[in-house]
Amino acid sequence: MAKLKTRYVCTACGSAQSRWQGQCPDCAEWNSIAQEAAALSTVFAAKHDLSTGGRAIELVGLDVAVALPPRLVSGIAEFDRAIGGGLVPGSATLIGGDPGIGKSTLLLQVAANMASAGRSVVYLSGEESADQVRLRALRLGLGGAPVRLAAATSVRDILTTLGQGEPPALLVIDSIQTMHSDLIEGAPGTVSQVRASAQELVRFAKDFGTALVLVGHVTKDGSIAGPRVLEHIVDTVLGFEGERSHQYRILRAVKNRFGGTDEIGVFAMEGVGLTEVPNPSALFLTQRGEPVSGTAVFPALEGTRPVLVEIQALVVRLASGATPRRAAVGWDSGRLAMVLAVLEARCGMSFATAEVYLNVAGGYRLSDPAADLAVAAALVSALSERPVPGDSVVLGEVALSGEVRPVAHAALRLKEAAKLGFERAWVPSGVDHGEGGIALTRFANLRGLVDQILGR
């Protein structure tokens, strides 16, 4: 008789182990290994030769002409921008985000827009009843949209129901962690159930040309819960970012087989749901009447969209001799330590006896190295209490030698700054000319920036 074997799978990286361990040996994550039933092991399965008995596969060359996949436009420009122009029929999209961030609200708006445009849309909720989804739609003013709703968690029931009629153009599953397959043992949300349920739903989408959107839970560190294989079997992975205490939300593509991952969609949470933000810079810039020390405006770049954000710094002198604290919100703390070290070693600015706090206004998160010069300008301004001119933007990458290095797409950043009324820009020496009539002040090294702020 066949013997049922048991294996242990890491929920963080998907690696399989023969026994349970407290720490995964592959990704070093603690308490992430869960038990699941493996396939039946038989003597026939071990000795069977797979080199014969199959069907021949047609092989094609790279030079075969392939048409671009058609897109299903959702009617929400920011959503379509983030996913590359619209949903592709037969594609599988996974969207994750913190609880209450607005995933269900956004997908309900997308479903209602596409249904109102004449598309067949099915919205299946495993966390709410159909009446609860309907109440949310009424609150958002979408009660008249011809979206077909249901509350179901059985993948067999879902596929049986969808197979009885014309397959929908869009299928929304909220959420994949609540789905379960009766072919797999285990409760909904376990590694094996999430993987098996997602594979069955993706197979249906590929066979019938339905655009599938799966909602995924996230862990405490913001990554999508469940095995990483879930991200591998879908075509697009979207992350819905933002703080619930802030108004804005950012939709960012982490993986996209049908487009780029360098575009974002910006939304604002309001009483009528998520509204598009055509000018994101207005969310992240502080309106003030006079220049304030410790602030600098940086033109960030998300894909092809420039976004102007304000970087704020606070330097507090300690008289007690206690160990100073460094804190950064929205910026890499390691990069902050590097900029502080360069300012002290190359420019003679001492932060050793001061606490340093750095914040990116509006809850925005920056990973662009071009923000180094703006961070340095805010720190020097806070330490010397000399404000950076309010009509200036600052951009440039700082090297360990103190050199200010050029940045990518400087012309596009400066054009956006000029459009929003900024008249001057502090840039690396490699930038040739300003866009939109903006005046340039060039710096070859960080010492020149310090002299500029201190008025030397």
Side-chain angles (χ1 to χ4, degrees):
M1 182 177 177
K3 181 181 179 181
L4 185 64
K5 298 182 64 177
T6 301
R7 65 176 184 172
Y8 300 85
V9 179
C10 175
T11 60
C13 66
S15 64
Q17 310 297 329
S18 60
R19 59 187 180 87
W20 186 88
Q21 302 176 62
Q23 184 184 32
C24 176
D26 293 329
C27 66
E29 190 74 17
W30 285 95
N31 299 323
S32 62
I33 296 181
Q35 179 182 346
E36 73 170 8
L40 292 176
S41 177
T42 63
V43 176
F44 175 77
K47 296 183 177 180
H48 186 53
D49 185 8
L50 297 180
S51 61
T52 59
R55 62 179 180 85
I57 300 174
E58 181 184 1
L59 302 177
V60 298
L62 287 174
D63 56 347
V64 176
V66 178
L68 293 177
R71 299 278 183 170
L72 300 176
V73 179
S74 67
I76 302 178
E78 294 297 308
F79 179 82
D80 293 336
R81 171 197 286 267
I83 62 177
L87 292 168
V88 177
S91 66
T93 301
L94 175 65
I95 178 171
D98 294 333
I101 203 69
K103 301 184 297 297
S104 300
T105 300
L106 175 63
L107 292 180
L108 186 58
Q109 291 180 251
V110 170
N113 282 2
M114 294 184 64
S116 300
R119 306 280 187 182
S120 175
V121 178
V122 174
Y123 189 104
L124 299 175
S125 176
E127 301 175 347
E128 300 174 288
S129 66
D131 290 338
Q132 289 176 314
V133 178
R134 191 177 295 110
L135 287 175
R136 183 193 298 122
L138 291 174
R139 188 175 69 250
L140 300 176
L142 306 173
V147 178
R148 293 181 289 171
L149 302 175
T153 58
S154 172
V155 177
R156 183 182 295 275
D157 294 344
I158 292 172
L159 297 182
T160 301
T161 303
L162 296 177
Q164 292 177 353
E166 187 72 18
L170 173 64
L171 174 61
V172 179
I173 303 294
D174 187 8
S175 64
I176 188 60
Q177 272 79 12
T178 62
M179 299 293 120
H180 73 89
S181 170
D182 53 15
L183 299 178
I184 302 293
E185 294 184 359
T190 58
V191 176
S192 55
Q193 284 287 358
V194 169
R195 181 169 50 199
S197 300
Q199 287 175 339
E200 292 297 328
L201 293 168
V202 170
R203 183 180 297 112
F204 171 83
K206 301 295 183 184
D207 292 341
F208 295 95
T210 297
L212 173 66
V213 180
L214 306 173
V215 177
H217 295 168
V218 296
T219 59
K220 60 182 180 180
D221 60 352
S223 59
I224 296 178
R228 294 301 297 269
V229 70
L230 185 60
E231 299 183 25
H232 295 316
I233 65 177
V234 298
D235 301 308
T236 304
V237 179
L238 301 175
F240 210 31
E241 305 173 358
E243 301 291 339
R244 287 198 290 178
S245 58
H246 291 282
Q247 183 185 18
Y248 85 98
R249 305 286 189 271
I250 293 180
L251 184 66
R252 190 189 308 272
V254 181
K255 168 190 174 182
N256 194 350
R257 288 174 178 164
F258 304 107
T261 58
D262 54 356
E263 294 288 356
I264 63 170
V266 184
F267 301 87
M269 179 63 77
E270 299 180 354
V272 293
L274 290 165
T275 59
E276 301 176 64
V277 180
N279 184 16
S281 300
L283 293 176
F284 309 114
L285 289 180
T286 302
Q287 302 296 329
R288 57 181 186 270
E290 59 184 17
V292 179
S293 62
T295 63
V297 177
F298 166 65
L301 195 65
E302 293 287 351
T304 59
R305 163 181 283 179
V307 180
L308 270 67
V309 297
E310 184 179 79
I311 297 177
Q312 304 168 346
L314 178 63
V315 177
V316 182
R317 290 291 186 185
L318 294 179
S320 61
T323 303
R325 182 184 179 189
R326 276 89 170 96
V329 178
W331 177 253
D332 183 20
S333 58
R335 204 159 187 90
L336 171 62
M338 185 201 76
V339 174
L340 290 172
V342 175
L343 284 171
E344 184 156 355
R346 306 296 181 184
C347 306
M349 304 291 295
S350 177
F351 294 87
T353 60
E355 290 187 339
V356 177
Y357 301 91
L358 189 74
N359 176 51
V360 181
Y364 196 82
R365 292 182 178 88
L366 282 177
S367 58
D368 192 350
D372 289 349
L373 197 64
V375 170
L379 292 172
V380 175
S381 173
L383 182 65
S384 62
E385 297 186 355
R386 293 174 177 265
V388 176
D391 60 348
S392 300
V393 295
V394 188
L395 67 152
E397 181 182 354
V398 175
L400 291 178
S401 62
E403 176 192 3
V404 179
R405 299 170 57 85
V407 299
H409 306 290
L412 187 60
R413 301 172 193 257
L414 297 178
K415 185 177 180 180
E416 179 70 12
K419 186 189 304 181
L420 294 177
F422 289 87
E423 300 176 356
R424 290 182 284 178
W426 294 359
V427 298
S429 57
V431 179
D432 296 332
H433 59 279
E435 295 290 333
I438 194 168
L440 300 183
T441 302
R442 300 177 180 85
F443 301 103
N445 51 60
L446 194 55
R447 182 179 293 274
L449 174 75
V450 174
D451 293 341
Q452 176 77 19
I453 297 177
L454 299 181
R456 295 175 181 170

